[in-house]
Amino acid sequence: MEKTKTLLLLLTSSIILFKLYLFPPTQSHEDLKAEPDELELTNLNNNHTWPLLYAKDVVSLNGKNFSEFMGKNRNVMVMFYANWCYWSKKLAPEFAAAAKMLKGEADLVMVDAYLEKDLAKEYNILAYPTLYLFVAGVRQFQFFGERTRDVISAWVREKMTLGTYSITTTDEAERILTVESKLVLGFLHDLEGMESEELAAASKLHSDVNFYQTTSADVAEFFHIHPKSKRPALIFLHLEAGKATPFRHQFTRLAIANFVTHTKHPLVVTLTIHNAQFVFQDPRKQLWLFAPAYGSDKVILTFEEVAKALKGKVNMLLHVYVEMNSEGVGRRVSQEFGVSGNAPRVIAYSARDAKKYVLNGELTLSSIKSFGEEFLEDKLLNQSDQISETILKLPSQSRASYQLRTHE
């Protein structure tokens, strides 16, 4: 009987030790509220500056620079820690080593969640350390694996290769708009399952476009999908071109991939306050169509046909459409170019010397095409006019308030 008790005691102890080995203890929610005691400080050799040892490889963020950093960097892994926490200090050298391994691919940063209480509350940090991967400023994944450099770096790379990322709130949507120039959004029944798999498979064929998914009607409406649309629905947003193009085909990976192929390179860029700086800083020669938003369908289609005809010279010539009577940038740029009235006008513009050349006569496919070709070959003999410098420094606005033209 005594031997049996002894064996049971040994077995129980072994199980407890094995669990502790596999699942090291973390700080509980109550621990977050308490100051570290004297014993903990002694165990850390009274060294609260250890995060500085890894500053070369790991950026330290706080409440003042967190949002700005997230807005400028797409893939960011964040280690939320407390500088008096034993497990945080133990993880730090492995985390810094992983940062070296992922240099140029992703950014690894540290946040002292014990001091930065607002960030800790926002991201519900209940234990030290907690690791999250943010994509385009939105928290996407939590890391639960072995805390070694190899496992961390492999996990980050795996998550970066995923085809789609989820958006659950309009706040997340706004953050994404600050870092994306074009994107695909799927409005699905579920974030997992066949629809999500088809979307992810299509995304792997377009590494230059980021794919997102949502089940939120509010998020869908934010991205110009009607909240009561039949699901699955999908839209392509080209923010710099000012376009929102809905998907009208069967929801399969091949159909989605083909749709994105034909949509992601617009032949004609619609000038907006959000892309004006990009347009004026583009080194290519530019062919501009000034026309009212309404009643100009024929000339706009003709201009698009010219862009198709000159598609082989896309690296040399940019086609720009300006809604000349629209409030804001359209009207202002029209005035700067000397365009007035409601008659459509085509103007060739050279950003290199800020000069314009006006096409006189009827705007036909042949006349506009010939005008563009002569412009490319520097054969235009018209008297050029100097463009005002003021339009080259248009104010930028937050993309959260963007307006897009919906193209069927």
Side-chain angles (χ1 to χ4, degrees):
M1 188 70 177
E2 197 65 34
K3 289 183 179 180
T4 302
K5 289 183 178 179
T6 303
L7 287 173
L8 286 173
L9 181 61
L10 288 173
L11 180 60
T12 302
S13 300
S14 298
I15 292 173
I16 292 172
L17 289 172
F18 183 67
K19 285 185 175 181
L20 286 173
Y21 173 77
L22 287 180
F23 307 105
T26 57
Q27 296 290 328
S28 68
H29 183 58
E30 287 72 23
D31 290 333
L32 294 180
K33 300 177 182 177
E35 293 287 343
D37 60 28
E38 187 176 345
L39 179 60
E40 289 173 319
L41 298 180
T42 303
N43 288 340
L44 290 177
N45 298 319
N46 293 315
N47 181 12
H48 282 240
T49 62
W50 58 263
L52 298 177
L53 298 174
Y54 311 104
K56 181 180 178 181
D57 303 303
V58 180
V59 178
S60 290
L61 298 182
N62 54 47
K64 295 181 179 179
N65 61 8
F66 187 87
S67 296
E68 181 183 1
F69 188 90
M70 290 296 173
K72 293 180 179 179
N73 300 279
R74 176 169 176 78
N75 297 294
V76 183
M77 189 175 193
V78 183
M79 172 182 163
F80 291 94
Y81 73 96
N83 64 5
W84 48 263
C85 169
Y86 169 79
W87 300 110
S88 297
K89 185 178 181 183
K90 184 177 180 180
L91 171 61
E94 294 296 313
F95 191 71
K100 285 184 179 180
M101 297 170 69
L102 292 167
K103 189 174 183 179
E105 300 177 61
D107 294 280
L108 272 65
V109 304
M110 297 171 65
V111 173
D112 189 339
Y114 186 75
L115 295 179
E116 301 296 330
K117 298 188 184 300
D118 288 341
L119 286 176
K121 181 178 180 181
E122 180 178 357
Y123 294 107
N124 196 32
I125 305 303
L126 301 179
Y128 304 130
T130 294
L131 285 78
Y132 285 121
L133 179 64
F134 288 71
V135 179
V138 177
R139 180 180 59 181
Q140 292 285 350
F141 310 103
Q142 183 172 0
F143 177 78
F144 291 105
E146 186 181 355
R147 296 169 181 174
T148 64
R149 64 193 71 185
D150 292 331
V151 173
I152 292 172
S153 59
W155 180 85
V156 171
R157 289 190 176 109
E158 177 190 356
K159 296 303 181 185
M160 287 169 56
T161 60
L162 292 179
T164 58
Y165 301 96
S166 299
I167 309 175
T168 57
T169 68
T170 53
D171 286 340
E172 294 175 351
E174 288 188 18
R175 291 173 193 165
I176 288 170
L177 285 179
T178 65
V179 296
E180 297 286 15
S181 60
K182 53 182 178 288
L183 62 89
V184 172
L185 177 77
F187 182 31
L188 313 181
H189 290 96
D190 297 293
L191 298 179
E192 296 180 354
M194 186 175 296
E195 293 172 357
S196 180
E197 291 171 3
E198 291 296 313
L199 187 63
S203 74
K204 295 184 185 301
L205 301 175
H206 293 282
S207 59
D208 58 334
V209 179
N210 293 314
F211 284 59
Y212 296 89
Q213 60 182 10
T214 189
T215 58
S216 167
D218 291 336
V219 171
E221 187 174 22
F222 189 87
F223 285 112
H224 288 243
I225 297 177
H226 194 282
K228 295 185 179 180
S229 295
K230 182 180 178 181
R231 308 187 202 187
L234 184 136
I235 198 164
F236 185 102
L237 302 184
H238 201 306
L239 299 172
E240 290 182 5
K243 290 185 178 180
T245 308
F247 177 69
R248 303 294 189 191
H249 309 283
Q250 187 176 0
F251 204 86
T252 65
R253 62 192 68 190
L254 183 58
I256 296 170
N258 289 336
F259 163 75
V260 174
T261 297
H262 291 97
T263 309
K264 66 182 178 181
H265 296 303
L267 294 172
V268 178
V269 173
T270 300
L271 190 72
T272 69
I273 190 64
H274 309 291
N275 64 16
Q277 290 281 20
F278 298 102
V279 171
F280 283 110
Q281 292 172 3
D282 195 304
R284 290 175 290 178
K285 291 184 175 182
Q286 300 173 11
L287 204 60
W288 291 60
L289 169 65
F290 293 83
Y294 301 100
S296 304
D297 293 347
K298 185 177 179 180
V299 70
I300 292 174
L301 289 174
T302 299
F303 193 67
E304 291 177 347
E305 288 299 317
V306 171
K308 289 180 182 178
L310 299 176
K311 187 175 182 179
K313 300 178 181 179
V314 67
N315 292 328
M316 298 181 288
L317 186 65
L318 176 68
H319 294 78
V320 183
Y321 165 59
V322 180
E323 294 181 356
M324 57 192 294
N325 56 355
S326 67
E327 294 292 336
V329 66
R331 180 173 296 177
R332 178 178 173 185
V333 171
S334 298
Q335 292 172 348
E336 294 292 347
F337 272 84
V339 177
S340 59
N342 292 319
R345 303 291 297 274
V346 170
I347 293 178
Y349 169 68
S350 172
R352 182 177 55 191
D353 51 16
K355 290 183 178 180
K356 70 174 183 180
Y357 303 83
V358 181
L359 172 60
N360 297 311
E362 187 179 0
L363 301 183
T364 66
L365 176 61
S366 176
S367 66
I368 300 174
K369 182 174 179 291
S370 297
F371 182 69
E373 290 173 334
E374 291 180 7
F375 179 48
L376 283 173
E377 297 170 5
D378 294 323
K379 292 182 179 179
L380 293 181
L381 301 178
N382 302 50
Q383 179 65 38
S384 65
D385 297 322
Q386 195 76 21
I387 300 298
S388 169
E389 286 292 325
T390 57
I391 63 172
L392 304 181
K393 299 177 182 179
L394 289 166
S396 60
Q397 291 184 357
S398 169
R399 282 181 175 164
S401 59
Y402 70 100
Q403 295 292 326
L404 299 176
R405 291 182 67 207
T406 300
H407 288 247
E408 298 295 332

